[in-house]
């Protein structure tokens, strides 16, 4: 497995502002993802964070609203831009393809999440 | 989009009893993973079962997979208060086994 950390763990923000969430993993991984979990709901994939290139967004999510960076194999950021109360959710990063010696695993692990409240 | 559907939505049991929850999905899969989430925190990975496997065990957990019925079940034996959580199944398609689709989840409450 891998140890995944997210910063901040929670935040309360004013509408119209932006928040950048960081995700750090302690192993090299091939894939990193960002999910959103709205209150009382299941997880929805926002995008795949691609190293060194633009993220791949799922239907309903756009780069202007959720810009993502992934400068290397162990780190990614998600920015929630121009926030509104509807953006209040838990945001989770996940990783897949953890390097295990010469091989890469196929289990997806999740970070602890960032609980965002927008007033 | 959500592919998995969990049943039941909520389950309340006495400590020591077994808890069973089911997950049904619509399209072919590469693998199916079960996760636990405590009180809106991060997801803890429980078990991954591949499409060519029928059953897997991990401690008090037993997962079955029936690809002909497109369904999976998670059994927790001898439940404990610490098992109180939401449980999610997530499926990965054959074309992209990294891209998970999550079900709505089953909320399990274990009463002491």
């Amino acid at each position: 497995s891998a140890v995944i950390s997210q910063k901040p763990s929670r935040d309360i923000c004013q509408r119209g502002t932006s928040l950048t969430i960081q995700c750090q993993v302690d192993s090299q991984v091939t894939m990193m993802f960002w999910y959103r979990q709205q209150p009382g709901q299941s997880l929805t994939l926002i995008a795949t964070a691609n190293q060194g290139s633009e993220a791949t967004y799922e239907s309903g999510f756009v780069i202007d609203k959720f810009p993502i960076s992934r400068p290397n194999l162990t780190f990614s950021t998600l920015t929630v831009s121009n926030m509104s109360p509807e953006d209040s959710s838990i945001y989770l990063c996940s990783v897949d393809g953890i390097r295990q010696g010469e091989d890469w695993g196929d289990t997806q692990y999740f970070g602890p999440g960032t609980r965002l409240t927008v007033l | 989009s959500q592919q998995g559907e969990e049943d039941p939505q909520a389950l309340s049991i006495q400590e020591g009893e077994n808890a069973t929850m089911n997950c049904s999905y619509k399209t072919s899969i590469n693998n199916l993973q079960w996760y636990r989430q405590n009180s809106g925190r991060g997801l803890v990975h429980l078990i991954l079962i591949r499409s060519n496997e029928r059953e897997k065990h991990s401690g008090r957990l037993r997962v079955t997979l029936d690809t002909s019925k497109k369904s999976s079940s998670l059994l927790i034996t001898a439940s404990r208060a610490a098992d109180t959580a939401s449980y999610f199944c997530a499926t990965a398609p054959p074309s992209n086994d990294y891209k998970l689709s999550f079900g709505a989840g089953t909320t399990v409450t274990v009463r002491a």
Side-chain angles (χ1 to χ4, degrees):
Chain A
S1 63
V3 177
I4 305 165
S5 61
Q6 282 185 235
K7 290 182 183 179
S9 59
R10 58 176 62 224
D11 208 341
I12 300 173
C13 301
Q14 297 297 321
R15 71 170 66 213
T17 62
S18 297
L19 176 71
T20 295
I21 303 167
Q22 299 179 2
C23 178
Q24 178 77 54
V25 60
D26 68 346
S27 310
Q28 288 186 336
V29 298
T30 55
M31 310 294 288
M32 294 184 79
F33 304 91
W34 288 97
Y35 287 82
R36 180 175 74 183
Q37 186 179 28
Q38 294 176 302
Q41 303 294 315
S42 187
L43 280 76
T44 301
L45 179 64
I46 298 172
T48 303
N50 300 310
Q51 190 216 345
S53 64
E54 195 171 284
T56 304
Y57 290 84
E58 297 301 303
S59 176
F61 298 97
V62 295
I63 188 171
D64 289 345
K65 176 67 176 177
F66 297 102
I68 287 170
S69 78
R70 189 177 171 197
N72 56 50
L73 290 176
T74 64
F75 184 79
S76 177
T77 66
L78 168 74
T79 299
V80 186
S81 302
N82 188 25
M83 291 183 283
S84 67
E86 292 70 35
D87 294 321
S88 297
S89 295
I90 298 173
Y91 292 86
L92 300 107
C93 75
S94 70
V95 303
D96 207 330
I98 298 169
R99 187 157 197 170
Q100 298 167 346
E102 295 297 315
D103 296 320
W104 301 83
D106 60 359
T107 297
Q108 196 163 132
Y109 295 97
F110 284 77
T114 295
R115 185 182 290 273
L116 171 62
T117 302
V118 184
L119 302 178
Chain B
S1 62
Q2 291 182 11
Q3 167 163 235
E5 293 290 334
E6 273 107 331
D7 169 52
Q9 289 186 333
L11 184 60
S12 180
I13 57 173
Q14 201 72 33
E15 205 166 26
E17 293 180 338
N18 296 342
T20 299
M21 59 210 86
N22 303 297
C23 169
S24 60
Y25 56 92
K26 297 187 178 76
T27 60
S28 297
I29 62 171
N30 179 288
N31 63 61
L32 185 147
Q33 305 186 52
W34 283 93
Y35 292 87
R36 184 185 74 225
Q37 185 178 39
N38 294 84
S39 300
R41 296 179 190 166
L43 272 69
V44 174
H45 186 267
L46 298 177
I47 288 184
L48 179 153
I49 186 164
R50 293 186 173 81
S51 59
N52 62 351
E53 297 175 314
R54 292 296 167 256
E55 187 171 311
K56 284 188 88 167
H57 297 255
S58 176
R60 295 183 295 112
L61 305 179
R62 173 179 166 244
V63 166
T64 63
L65 179 65
D66 187 335
T67 53
S68 67
K69 295 181 180 177
K70 291 187 170 60
S71 68
S72 174
S73 68
L74 170 65
L75 167 68
I76 305 172
T77 60
S79 63
R80 305 167 182 168
D83 295 327
T84 295
S86 293
Y87 292 81
F88 295 91
C89 69
T91 55
S95 58
N96 184 344
D97 62 0
Y98 294 116
K99 208 167 172 179
L100 298 182
S101 294
F102 280 81
T106 294
T107 300
V108 175
T109 303
V110 181
R111 305 185 306 273

